[in-house]
Amino acid sequence: MSLSLLLKVMLNRKIVTILLLLQLAITLALLLNSVLLAQQTHQQLNQPTGLELEDTLLVQLKPTTPQLRMYPLLEDLLQRQVRALQNIPGVIAAAYSNQAVITQGGNNGNIYDVDNEDRTNISSVPMYFVSPDFFKVLNVNVVQGELPQLSSYLDGDTQPGVILTQRLTERLFPGESVVGRQLNRGPVSAVISDFYGQRSAEDVMYNSIQVAPPYAVDWGYALMLRTAPGQAGAVREQLTTVLQTVEPNIEIYYIRSLAEQQRQLYRNEYGLASLLTILTALMLLVTMISSYSSAHFHVLKRQQEIGVKRALGASKRLIFIELLSESWLCTLIGAFLGIGCALILNQALAQVISIPSLNWWLPLITSAILLFSVTLATWYPATIATRVSPATATKAL
Amino acid sequence: MITLTNLSKIFRTELIETHALRDVTLQVNEGEFAALTGPSGSGKSTLLNILGTLESFDSGDYLLDGKSIKGLSDAALSQLRNEKIGFIFQSFNLIKDFSIYDNIELPLRYRGLKAAERKQRIEQALELVGLHARRDYLPAQLSGGQQQRVAIARAIAGRPRILLADEPTGNLDSLMARQVMELLEQINQQGCTILMVTHDPDQARRAGRNIQIIDGQLHDSTMYEPLATQSA
Amino acid sequence: MEQFIYYLKVSLLSIKRAPLPYALTVFILSVGLGVFFANATFYYQLNSDPLPGKSDKLFFPMTLTPYDCNDCRPPRILSYSNVQKLAASDIPSAQAAMYSSDGYARLTIDQPPTPVVIRITQRDFFQMFDVPLLHGSVWPDDNGHHQVILSRPMALKLFGRTAVVGESLLLDDRNFRIIGVLDEWQMLPRLYDANGRNHLTANEDIFLPLETGYDLNYLSKTNSQTFDDTDYRQLATEGRVGALHQLQYWVQLDTAAQQEDYQQYMQSLAEDEKAAGRHPAPINNQLVPMLGIVDYFGDDPGDIKAFALVTLLFLVVCLFNASHLALNRYLSNQYEFSLRRALGASRSQLQLQMLADVLLMTVFSLLGALFIGYAGVSLMNALLPQNSLFSTWDLTLITALILAAFTCSYLVTLYPSLRASFGSLNQQLKE
Ligand SMILES: Nc1ncnc2c1ncn2[C@@H]1O[C@H](COP(=O)(O)OP(=O)(O)O)[C@@H](O)[C@H]1O
Ligand SMILES: [Mg+2]
């Protein structure tokens, strides 16, 4: 069957064809954009964090009495808790921190090289106040300098040394040696490998850490621990009891692995991508129903015509292929229009959510999916068409 | 070129069995113009359909050009229909979404002819039926007689050796019918074998041979004039 | 009426003759409507006006910027001293500063503490947001008092009853007297707290005077920023004078004249501050009406909006589809239509028949849409839990759904039945 003839037939059935094309186009547009969104979420969930997600546990908690939330009782509480955690079998290292890692936001502030405030001032860099084992828990590498072995005090005469992540260091001191340089938060004492801090920061890998107990924990704090591989589950079960035994006046908000923490952080994106995926599946189903019924109806209405074609020498195979090619042609035109619609929808969506722009291969893949679904749906009606006897042609209308 | 031996056809429905053809034996030679007559429901269309391989049969045999068509695959039968046989129907059966040109082209496409070859044959066929000027019309825009002439053009464009016509003038007035008859005679003179079902005794008389079917049996087969050529 | 029942019967009969195409049509329509309705629920609730008739009189003024910047807006949270400067105006009919904090409440020291969310605010808050009081009263003035107002659920949780005015409780182990208990109150969306999408969360449990909150160093649980070296832990002292920003501030301006006056007031205030060197940035005053505050802050993640667009498109696709299916169905029944016309059915009779078809379709697709809509809302609650407070159906929504189902059924039935019932039309429009 020639392309031009197929086109002519389609043009003759204007309304049905327009309906079908519109629907195919919108379906493809949605399909494309949900795949795009799902892909983005997948990438976000799989972006490097510099952390051992499965084997690191995080407890977010808060003392329930005002005294315990402040120096000096707070420091004592933190030490008692960390010691107790370290004693749990399977725990490699435990530490406290004024805030968790892999979060949306938290305690942060601007940071700059005091000699170069104008050029280096970066806002919203997370400030961690931690115990010495924090680095062991996160299992980060020291790139430059040395990590402090002991905790110092934020209110002391000298500012405690600042530990920076690599990417932040490069931004603050590009290509320079950094140990000993003075920041507004204190002198740089070491540079460590990158890890995921706060999502709302300019760069999620920007972090500054000081080994000192926090002043106060009015918003709660985090206890973090790294377990031996495979031990996370067993350790986790004991955490609540252990911490309650150490100090009953606490509220534990949650206990999560860092993997769960990350999923929680991208929950919204994940939810939206899932919803769009479900919607796309529904849409493909609807398209399949419509392709099926339109092909089926077409066959029923055109028994005579098919009979004539058979009488003129069209084989069953040819009839079958002819019907499928009609669907294919329709789908391809629809897909072509759909790519245009997808671009428009993509731009409309970009106004309200963050969504990557279209690339060149995704339209091909999604069109293939669409084509496959339509083929599947047309298969049965096309088989029915081949069963039309050529003798049908001779029956009077 | 057509040989039927003891051919029978039974239509089975849930309620009844209809013996549409019983023990039909028939020989049709190349170049003949045969008229098929008989009362309504006697099996004329059934016979024509079987000859055109549109319908299967229950017993007996059908040799086309000396070869039995029994056991041929759908693809082989389709090819045979396409190359050797042309059809003309009572209700024209043009494809209503296609232009005249496209309608005529359809069997040629099925045969896989090149575009130039197709074009040349379509032009010839259109010339013969005198509808060259209407080539881009849709069937609905033509009169019945014109539509039947298009159907004839479609049937002969593939240069079939056999033309099967089931009451080709049944839906036409007498003037139109005469035109169609003249056309068929002209085609026959060019060597095409024609079998035509008709109710019109005049037309039957104009055909070279009259085959009568009554109740599924070939009753009589009269040759009004001896055949000019006779091939085995 | 009896005639109409006859038409309904005829419709049912023709459904019975070809149930599959009909079922598919209804299914597609239900899916489209259901999915659309599920999202529309959230969209409608999230964008609903929590204070009809009053919301257009409430404004969030943002004016003083304690740092230099080009083309930037003033901070979306205010410092204590800025609020005092704004509060000096007597143009607004009511005004209240506020923030929220976390705490632990219990009745006696040996009880386990209950975590509570505290709204720390001023007395006009209750009048401004139409907060209903069940028992007692609000604070007599905006000074510090060791007096709290409880939400109804919190009173029930702590005491097991609501008439607890005059009793006391321990909030973070300090003694407070209860002077009021709220009636059932859920302001959704909670627009007075829109910064950082807090308007999606539930109401607070305990209300504390602003001055007391500052005296006792209650820190903001949401967003606080310092623009100088104020120690955020010293709320009672440094926090009252330094550039520690954590307050929301709402004013009630009833008339256009009041609003204009207040704009003028903000302008002069900003100019004075600029002259005094406390406002280095260019003046960029904002007086944001309550219904515009979410958009103004702009941290709406847009998922519901994005989904609204997508589900609307989906509904359109489903409509196309269903009408396509219905068209096929009608064309199969065309013979019957022609017959009826031949038997002398008038146009209006055919239209009545069509109405019966539409009604049946409405009923079926409405049932399907309610089912799918309910499933969709549950699914969205599971996948986007932060919106879960906004998943309730009310009369308006259900009515809208019924209307939508009717309209869609009508659209889906209209074109095919027109084609089937008017023969001449039939020939013009090629199928
Ligand atoms: N598809 C069919 N199924 C059942 N019976 C059939 C079928 N086609 C034809 N017949 C029966 O076979 C007989 C011959 O029919 P047909 O060949 O069409 O007669 P004619 O063309 O001579 O009028 C009739 O009795 C007819 O009812
Ligand atoms: Mg017949």
Side-chain angles (χ1 to χ4, degrees), chain C residues 45-50 187-192 199-200 294 390:
Chain C
Q45 298 287 14
L46 281 168
N47 291 299
S48 64
D49 183 348
M187 178 170 162
L188 283 178
R190 216 160 43 79
L191 288 180
Y192 60 80
H199 61 292
L200 304 182
V294 175
F390 296 83

Side-chain angles (χ1 to χ4, degrees), chain B residues 51 54 83 99 111 125 138 152 161 207 225 230-231:
Chain B
L51 289 176
L54 301 184
E83 289 177 0
S99 70
R111 196 180 296 187
L138 284 174
I152 293 171
R161 295 190 23 237
E225 50 189 81
Q230 198 140 8
S231 55

